[in-house]
Amino acid sequence: MDNKNQKASRNISSIPLKAIYRWLGDRIFLVVAFFLGLSIILLALGMALVLYQEGSLSFKEFGFFGFMRGSTWDPGVTLTFGALPFIFGTVVTSVFALAIAFFPALAIAIFLAEYAPRWIGGVIENLVNLIAAIPSVVVGIWGIFVFAPWMREKVYMPLWSWSSENAPALEPILGNPIGYGMTTATIILALMIIPFITALAKDAMRQVPKEQREAAYGLGATRWEVIRMAVIPYARGGIMAGAILALGRAIGETMAVAMLIGNKNTFPFSIFGPAATMPSVIINEFREAVGNLHLSSLMAIGFILFIISLAVNLLAAYITRKISITGGKIL
Amino acid sequence: MNFITNIKKNKKEPTEKTSTSAIAGGEGVHPHDVRMETKNLSVMYGKTVGVKNVSLPVYNEKVTAFIGPSGCGKTTFLRALNRMHDLTREAVVTGEVLLDGLDIYAPKVNPVTIRRKIGMVFQKPTPFPTMSIYNNVVAGLKLVGIRDRKLLDEVCEKALQQAALWNEVKDRLNTPGGSLSGGQQQRLSIARALAIEPEVLLMDEPTSSLDPLSSAKIEELIHDLKTKYAIAIVTHNMQQAARVSDYTAFFYVGNLVEFDETKKIFTNPSNEQTENYISGKFG
Ligand SMILES: Nc1ncnc2c1ncn2[C@@H]1O[C@H](COP(=O)(O)OP(=O)(O)OP(=O)(O)O)[C@@H](O)[C@H]1O
Ligand SMILES: [Mg+2]
């Protein structure tokens, strides 16, 4: 038995290669992988194409950039459609949501990855994941019945009455303090994306080799200094990618935003007052869209949303590759 | 350069205190020469023994070499000298490590201040990959709040020259540390440790990834530095140990087998294991 093994292992390089098997196996695998990959790309392209075709009526009527620049959305009387209010609403809510969420999320991630004792870390990690798992319609319901009224009573109303006494010029900027509006939606969005940023940043920080930390400790760094000079720079690719993917989620988030943003289709928007986003207008209006042009305009918005989401994801991939030191791998 | 002379001045006082607490070293060694000293130092990784009951002096202005076969505990022992094991969850350190007569593991001692005095070059090169070469070198100075650009420039150039890296990187100080080759990264790590002018310098196989020329330069550097510092170096290269060190400690499976003047270890070791190892019969 031993003898045989030895013989086999000694001769392993002289065994003739069964070229046809290797070849065939490689080939089959390559072909299958190629077609699977291709079909996903084709599916995405096909969706984009359908959206574009369905929206082409509207693009023809107003021009592609005319549609994007148009600031009137009137499906009732003039049948004029422009996407600018929704693009504006989407960009403002998601960018501010990211701005609000980023540092708290990073702080939680640092705490989890660097400071928390194992069991506390585990508990918090699970809580954070739990938040991520709440269906957005449930978040929306909570927002409608708890958060928005609370914000109205405790924040918007006091601010509004202060401004009407002291600085009436601010009133149109602050907007109608009904509780449902851009600020409410933005804060809720921020809450919803914190778990994603936290999870990705935490994973990226846990991947930092212990030699990096030790090098910093060896120079006489304190714990916080180690995090600042060794951990975060090393993990920055993963952290940034997490942030941008979270931005992508915020852009596409539909239900909770539609329930809380107040759904006002035309400018002017105000800080507290109602507004709308691209997903929110689609979900609110597609059932009632009777006219062809109205439906086509909603499809056109869907197309723009698709392009923006794609761009954000590509940006995330690019940034990860560009600034992560792990060579583009999302940690 | 003010700050460096300051450090030198501060250093003087505790050094003088040591005279009372020093142990008796080898023949002809004066007690006040002891800079660091371990007493019954043991490091356990869970149930695995790292090192066991090692008592050893590290003399001031001398080079002490740690030799022994792979896995015998050299790195483990070296890391115990600047409390690096604090960061390893499963490592348990017992016994005493004295720096200038004071136990660095005493409850009130802050490991951060210890590590600022005891510099370390690790076995693997560990530059901060996203930081520029310049910032890598002066990272330790920036930690203590030195912002004076001129001083930083000076220290950076000096440290890089000492580490035999200056000529290769002087035109690209702003490129990231991760862009260097493995051997260059090792020399960058050495420069970074030198820049903070530690009182004791611990080096774990500093030349293992270097070409003969750079190795020779590092050995030269060690020779120069020992006029000011206490140096402990781990090496697998017997000739190197014989060339650069004044004292040699031979470790074997976690035990300190023999510690003596390098001359004696390499010409007339008292222990048979030491002799076998040095003459290449095992290890
Ligand atoms: N983090 C750790 N956890 C558990 N065991 C460890 C750890 N680090 C080292 N050891 C064990 O402790 C012993 C001594 O290891 P150490 O790294 O000190 O050896 P060394 O003499 O430096 O070897 P080398 O010359 O190969 O670097 C080895 O048996 C090793 O397996
Ligand atoms: Mg080692």
Side-chain angles (χ1 to χ4, degrees):
Chain A
M1 189 57 190
D2 261 341
N3 224 343
K4 232 181 184 174
N5 272 341
Q6 256 184 6
K7 237 183 211 160
S9 67
R10 202 178 300 142
N11 289 338
I12 199 141
S13 59
S14 58
I15 295 172
L17 293 174
K18 300 201 172 134
I20 205 86
Y21 280 136
R22 260 184 12 128
W23 237 64
L24 212 61
D26 278 3
R27 275 285 162 108
I28 291 173
F29 180 75
L30 190 71
V31 166
V32 169
F34 178 76
F35 278 105
L36 281 177
L38 193 70
S39 63
I40 289 171
I41 295 172
L42 285 178
L43 198 68
L45 281 179
M47 270 163 69
L49 196 69
V50 168
L51 283 172
Y52 183 78
Q53 272 174 351
E54 299 283 327
S56 62
L57 188 64
S58 173
F59 288 138
K60 239 177 253 153
E61 177 81 22
F62 307 103
F64 184 73
F65 291 104
F67 179 71
M68 296 225 302
R69 273 201 306 269
S71 56
T72 322
W73 183 271
D74 181 9
V77 186
T78 59
L79 292 183
T80 315
F81 298 97
L84 194 63
F86 313 112
I87 296 175
F88 177 85
T90 294
V91 169
V92 169
T93 51
S94 51
V95 167
F96 277 88
L98 179 61
I100 295 171
F102 183 73
F103 287 103
L106 192 63
I108 299 171
I110 289 173
F111 177 74
L112 289 178
E114 300 291 324
Y115 287 96
R118 236 171 240 183
W119 70 273
I120 297 182
V123 170
I124 295 178
E125 212 173 317
N126 281 323
L127 282 178
V128 170
N129 291 342
L130 206 67
I131 296 179
I134 299 175
S136 63
V137 65
V138 176
V139 177
I141 285 279
W142 175 79
I144 286 178
F145 289 109
V146 181
F147 184 69
W150 185 87
M151 285 296 278
R152 182 177 55 216
E153 296 309 320
K154 301 287 186 230
V155 182
Y156 303 153
M157 287 304 275
L159 269 174
W160 197 73
S161 50
W162 173 87
S163 90
S164 61
E165 272 168 36
N166 300 307
L170 274 181
E171 262 176 48
I173 302 173
L174 289 178
N176 214 348
I178 50 171
Y180 306 100
M182 278 229 273
T183 305
T184 306
T186 303
I187 294 174
I188 290 290
L189 264 182
L191 285 179
M192 292 175 76
I193 62 176
I194 279 179
F196 290 92
I197 307 174
T198 299
L200 285 161
K202 180 203 69 199
D203 287 349
M205 287 191 269
R206 288 215 174 128
Q207 302 257 352
V208 176
K210 79 174 198 309
E211 286 84 7
Q212 284 287 317
R213 293 164 207 271
E214 288 181 349
Y217 277 116
L219 287 174
T222 61
R223 206 162 178 176
W224 170 242
E225 288 165 340
V226 171
I227 293 169
R228 227 186 43 207
M229 73 195 275
V231 177
I232 291 180
Y234 201 97
R236 65 184 184 182
I239 295 172
M240 289 300 286
I244 294 175
L245 290 175
L247 181 69
R249 280 200 63 95
I251 288 172
E253 174 54 46
T254 308
M255 212 51 223
V257 173
M259 290 164 86
L260 290 168
I261 201 164
N263 300 312
K264 176 173 183 283
N265 288 347
T266 39
F267 287 133
F269 292 162
S270 52
I271 296 177
F272 301 149
T277 65
M278 291 189 270
S280 80
V281 73
I282 294 175
I283 197 162
N284 278 323
E285 297 195 358
F286 77 95
R287 270 178 269 99
E288 302 131 31
V290 277
N292 278 340
L293 193 58
H294 190 188
L295 201 60
S296 170
S297 297
L298 289 175
M299 289 292 192
I301 286 183
F303 177 72
I304 297 169
L305 184 61
F306 185 94
I307 297 297
I308 291 179
S309 302
L310 195 70
V312 165
N313 277 288
L314 288 178
L315 184 71
Y318 174 77
I319 286 186
T320 327
R321 190 154 309 151
K322 180 91 184 170
I323 72 172
S324 103
I325 38 150
T326 50
K329 201 175 63 190
I330 295 184
L331 293 170
Chain B
M1 284 289 147
N2 252 343
F3 119 90
I4 290 161
T5 43
N6 275 345
I7 286 186
K8 291 286 120 44
K9 270 181 212 140
N10 292 342
K11 187 169 90 176
K12 275 277 151 17
E13 294 147 8
T15 322
E16 272 146 25
K17 267 186 232 145
T18 47
S19 45
T20 49
S21 68
I23 61 153
E27 300 92 293
V29 174
H30 298 295
H32 66 266
D33 284 334
V34 172
R35 196 69 214 254
M36 288 193 83
E37 183 187 351
T38 67
K39 286 182 175 168
N40 294 325
L41 180 74
S42 298
V43 182
M44 302 288 292
Y45 298 105
K47 287 203 170 81
T48 318
V49 177
V51 290
K52 211 163 51 200
N53 270 330
V54 176
S55 300
L56 190 79
V58 175
Y59 294 108
N60 202 20
E61 300 179 4
K62 297 276 184 263
V63 177
T64 307
F66 301 144
I67 61 171
S70 185
C72 68
K74 305 180 296 292
T75 298
T76 304
F77 180 74
L78 202 69
R79 286 165 60 89
L81 297 183
N82 72 342
R83 290 192 62 166
M84 268 302 153
H85 290 303
D86 290 14
L87 317 171
T88 317
R89 214 176 280 245
E90 62 275 12
V92 179
V93 180
T94 52
E96 283 177 66
V97 178
L98 308 181
L99 171 67
D100 299 328
L102 304 172
D103 187 1
I104 64 170
Y105 284 90
K108 277 196 186 141
V109 175
N110 185 349
V112 170
T113 59
I114 292 297
R115 295 190 197 112
R116 284 187 179 158
K117 289 187 199 166
I118 307 179
M120 185 156 196
V121 176
F122 295 86
Q123 192 164 355
K124 286 185 211 156
T126 50
F128 302 121
T130 59
M131 237 186 234
S132 70
I133 294 173
Y134 181 92
N135 280 332
N136 259 288
V137 177
V138 300
L141 300 186
K142 285 196 167 170
L143 278 182
V144 293
I146 295 170
R147 292 280 176 276
D148 177 3
R149 185 76 196 189
K150 236 181 97 206
L151 175 61
L152 293 179
D153 286 349
E154 261 170 50
V155 172
C156 175
E157 176 170 351
K158 183 170 168 228
L160 283 171
Q161 271 180 344
Q162 286 179 320
L165 187 60
W166 174 252
N167 285 331
E168 285 156 74
V169 301
K170 62 171 184 266
D171 300 322
R172 45 188 279 213
L173 290 174
N174 288 322
T175 52
S179 69
L180 295 173
S181 79
Q184 289 172 329
Q185 291 187 359
Q186 182 65 352
R187 282 175 283 157
L188 181 60
S189 311
I190 294 172
R192 189 177 57 190
L194 295 176
I196 52 173
E197 303 224 328
E199 301 174 21
V200 179
L201 187 59
L202 311 174
M203 306 175 105
D204 197 348
E205 299 185 35
T207 62
S208 58
S209 59
L210 300 186
D211 62 287
L213 201 68
S214 319
S215 298
K217 283 193 182 149
I218 298 300
E219 285 182 20
E220 231 171 82
L221 166 74
I222 292 171
H223 199 81
D224 294 344
L225 289 179
K226 81 173 182 184
T227 56
K228 289 193 274 178
Y229 308 136
I231 299 175
I233 176 172
V234 172
T235 179
H236 277 289
N237 182 331
M238 290 305 117
Q239 285 85 22
Q240 185 173 64
R243 277 195 302 267
V244 303
S245 71
D246 305 289
Y247 293 88
T248 298
F250 172 59
F251 286 83
Y252 187 62
V253 284
N255 292 303
L256 174 63
V257 176
E258 191 170 350
F259 171 76
D260 214 321
E261 291 185 19
T262 300
K263 237 183 303 165
K264 176 142 190 307
I265 294 262
F266 279 88
T267 53
N268 183 23
S270 20
N271 190 292
E272 203 181 329
Q273 274 177 324
T274 316
E275 185 167 3
N276 287 343
Y277 182 70
I278 286 168
S279 58
K281 288 196 184 120
F282 78 94

